[in-house]
Amino acid sequence: MSTQRLRDEDYRDYSSTDASPEESPSEGLNNFSSSGSYMRFGESNSTTWFQTLIHLLKSNIGTGLLGLPLAVKNAGILMGPLSLLVIGLVAVHCMRILVKCAHHFCYRLNKPFVDYGDTVMYSLEASPISWLRNHAHWGRRMVDFFLIVTQLGFCCIYFVFLADNFKQVIEMANGTTNNCHNNETVILTPTMDSRLYMLTFLPFMVLLVFVRNLRALSIFSLLANITMAVSLVMIYQFTVQNIPDPSHLPLVASWKTYPLFFGTAIFAFEGIGMVLPLENKMKDPKKFSLILYVGMAIVTALYVSLGILGYLHFGANIQGSITLNLPNCWLYQSVKLLYSVGIFFTYALQFYVPAEIIIPFFVARGPEHCELVIDLSVRTVLVCLTCILAILIPRLDLVISLVGSVSSSALALIIPPLLEITTYYSEGMSPITIVKDALISILGFVGFVVGTCLTLYELIQPSSAPIFINSTSAFV
């Protein structure tokens, strides 16, 4: 999922990789302002409805999609798709709430644009509770905090994803064939631990994020989009073939694993941070609501279909990423590598968001002649931090669930309904709307607590499952 944010007047448009800044954010850090406001752009930088739709799809489709078959397993072949549909509807509704509240404050304060953090801050200032009004600035800080946690969490997941897929491709290289349908046992070539693969990728990730100009990364973004699109087509092509009898699959899984489903599902749907920047860049923002509904309908259809097909095809053997279940032939091994290449270059784009928030804080407190050194040092430390966290939690499915439960649930489910209440309560709200918003926030909070606790519990449990691999699937 790709979430570029627009900052204050010293920054240009970072809402997409196609309209990239002329300079890096660090070049304007001396004038950095923590208050921040978005700027409305002219026609030359505006996007068409189709470009906006593509950006919306791109910002929601990533590693979370590949983990949804396992999520369906954790919920059940019936409960999983139904829950995905409900979460998708609620997530889109929350996105619409955010847009509506942002419009409200733009009109009320005569501003061209406000971002997620600004909207929360202004809503607290409009609250009838004096304590909330006095601490409204914490609303922006809270949103920035969860954005940082979410984006760095994505970066951690990318380390685990790359390590798992490259490790499997290398270990199975001696048995990889051109026959994708022959069921033959493969003798693995032992290689180093997956955490050593993460350390191998570390210097390349550091060099990648040293590219501070997003315009220079635009070609890599295009490459990532192409490779991931081709990989998804190949994955769908394989999963629709030779689906076994699904009668043995449970309709509803154990309630103990459902919180893991929730974390993975809300992780996949957490594209709310991209909504306002995309609307701001449109030539005709009035069409954005329709584009939002159409785009998220496509995303939800992809999520539900791949979740169902992946679980039906691989059953109980499904892994944290469906790519790890693909056959041991060169065609599907190349799919793993293609998707991994896309994820590698996407790392820099996901990293840009926390870098944009964190780096100005440190640069503003250092000597002027050391700006570049401080900038690159902070980037290096942040990349090393994501690598260390990935090494500490090297299980892809649990990392996805943890990030989804901790931060994605806050940004996508908990905050938007409360935002609507604080924005419109003093102007009069129907009791039904208040109850609806309260229920959504409670749902998000319960998922946050239970999902986080269960994921942490699973993380401390030893994993001793044997590994079985053949030429048609690789599974735990």
Side-chain angles (χ1 to χ4, degrees):
M1 172 173 351
S2 179
T3 316
Q4 272 63 40
R5 298 179 63 235
L6 302 174
R7 294 296 289 177
D8 59 5
E9 291 86 344
D10 298 321
Y11 291 81
R12 296 185 186 271
D13 176 26
Y14 306 143
S15 63
S16 76
T17 56
D18 297 320
S20 305
E22 298 287 347
E23 68 282 331
S24 68
S26 301
E27 295 171 7
L29 293 177
N30 286 336
N31 297 319
F32 176 77
S33 170
S34 61
S35 59
S37 64
Y38 285 74
M39 298 298 294
R40 176 71 69 174
F41 290 87
E43 291 298 314
S44 62
N45 281 329
S46 298
T47 57
T48 65
W49 68 268
F50 183 74
Q51 290 172 324
T52 303
L53 177 62
I54 295 300
H55 289 323
L56 182 65
L57 295 176
K58 183 172 63 177
S59 66
N60 281 275
I61 298 175
T63 53
L65 172 63
L66 302 181
L68 287 176
L70 179 60
V72 172
K73 173 190 173 184
N74 288 328
I77 192 61
L78 177 63
M79 180 62 75
L82 290 178
S83 299
L84 273 176
L85 184 60
V86 171
I87 291 177
L89 292 174
V90 174
V92 174
H93 178 66
C94 289
M95 292 177 184
R96 190 68 189 90
I97 288 176
L98 177 61
V99 173
K100 182 179 71 171
C101 292
H103 286 175
H104 176 82
F105 289 112
C106 284
Y107 176 79
R108 181 175 175 179
L109 303 174
N110 194 27
K111 288 180 173 287
F113 188 73
V114 293
D115 69 0
Y116 197 161
D118 286 334
T119 306
V120 172
M121 181 176 67
Y122 294 141
S123 72
L124 294 179
E125 290 177 350
S127 170
I129 302 175
S130 61
W131 187 89
L132 291 178
R133 292 196 302 270
N134 295 334
H135 297 81
H137 62 282
W138 283 100
R140 161 169 284 286
R141 296 181 183 179
M142 177 179 63
V143 171
D144 283 347
F145 170 77
F146 281 118
L147 279 173
I148 291 172
V149 172
T150 300
Q151 299 305 121
L152 291 183
F154 292 160
C155 293
C156 294
I157 290 167
Y158 292 169
F159 266 108
V160 181
F161 181 89
L162 289 170
D164 285 352
N165 281 271
F166 268 84
K167 176 179 170 64
Q168 190 182 84
V169 169
I170 293 174
E171 289 187 344
M172 298 171 65
N174 69 317
T176 302
T177 67
N178 294 322
N179 189 340
C180 296
H181 304 285
N182 217 8
N183 190 16
E184 299 175 353
T185 300
V186 173
I187 301 176
L188 296 181
T189 302
T191 62
M192 55 188 178
D193 187 273
S194 63
R195 288 164 286 194
L196 295 178
Y197 279 92
M198 298 179 199
L199 290 176
T200 302
F201 282 112
L202 178 59
F204 299 100
M205 294 293 197
V206 171
L207 292 176
L208 185 63
V209 301
F210 277 0
V211 181
R212 300 179 297 151
N213 189 335
L214 274 182
R215 188 178 297 278
L217 290 173
S218 61
I219 183 63
F220 298 128
S221 174
L222 177 62
L223 177 63
N225 295 335
I226 294 174
T227 57
M228 293 169 73
V230 171
S231 299
L232 281 178
V233 170
M234 296 303 299
I235 291 171
Y236 269 98
Q237 177 268 337
F238 179 76
T239 55
V240 297
Q241 302 179 45
N242 303 320
I243 297 178
D245 180 14
S247 60
H248 66 285
L249 300 178
L251 296 178
V252 180
S254 170
W255 64 269
K256 295 181 179 179
T257 58
Y258 190 84
L260 297 177
F261 161 84
F262 176 86
T264 303
I266 198 60
F267 170 88
F269 276 108
E270 202 285 298
I272 195 168
M274 193 69 175
V275 170
L276 293 180
L278 284 177
E279 190 216 20
N280 180 49
K281 284 211 64 199
M282 284 194 67
K283 290 180 180 179
D284 187 4
K286 294 180 180 178
K287 295 181 180 179
F288 182 75
S289 293
L290 177 61
I291 293 172
L292 177 64
Y293 293 136
V294 171
M296 293 308 297
I298 296 174
V299 169
T300 303
L302 283 174
Y303 286 0
V304 173
S305 61
L306 187 61
I308 293 175
L309 290 172
Y311 184 38
L312 286 176
H313 193 104
F314 298 108
N317 301 316
I318 190 67
Q319 292 204 54
S321 170
I322 193 174
T323 57
L324 299 175
N325 286 91
L326 294 178
N328 183 39
C329 64
W330 287 115
L331 176 63
Y332 293 107
Q333 295 294 70
S334 65
V335 169
K336 299 175 189 178
L337 295 177
L338 277 175
Y339 211 97
S340 297
V341 169
I343 290 297
F344 174 79
F345 290 118
T346 305
Y347 182 98
L349 303 175
Q350 299 287 11
F351 181 86
Y352 199 86
V353 177
E356 181 189 346
I357 298 172
I358 296 173
I359 290 176
F361 175 84
F362 290 98
V363 171
R365 285 157 177 77
E368 184 175 349
H369 64 278
C370 294
E371 281 187 9
L372 180 60
V373 174
I374 296 174
D375 183 302
L376 298 182
S377 298
V378 173
R379 290 173 184 273
T380 303
V381 170
L382 289 177
V383 175
C384 291
L385 176 63
T386 61
C387 182
I388 291 172
L389 292 175
I391 289 174
L392 293 176
I393 314 175
R395 295 180 58 182
L396 182 62
D397 56 331
L398 296 183
V399 179
I400 291 177
S401 181
L402 182 62
V403 174
S405 298
V406 171
S407 56
S408 298
S409 59
L411 292 172
L413 295 182
I414 300 176
I415 296 178
L418 298 179
L419 174 64
E420 184 176 35
I421 293 176
T422 55
T423 299
Y424 294 104
Y425 185 80
S426 59
E427 302 177 13
M429 292 181 66
S430 69
I432 295 178
T433 302
I434 295 176
V435 171
K436 178 263 298 180
D437 288 340
L439 288 177
I440 294 176
S441 286
I442 291 172
L443 168 68
F445 183 75
V446 171
F448 167 82
V449 174
V450 179
T452 301
C453 292
L454 182 60
T455 304
L456 292 176
Y457 174 78
E458 290 291 328
L459 284 172
I460 64 176
Q461 300 301 309
S463 178
S464 58
I467 298 179
F468 307 94
I469 298 181
N470 57 47
S471 64
T472 56
S473 63
F475 50 88
V476 175

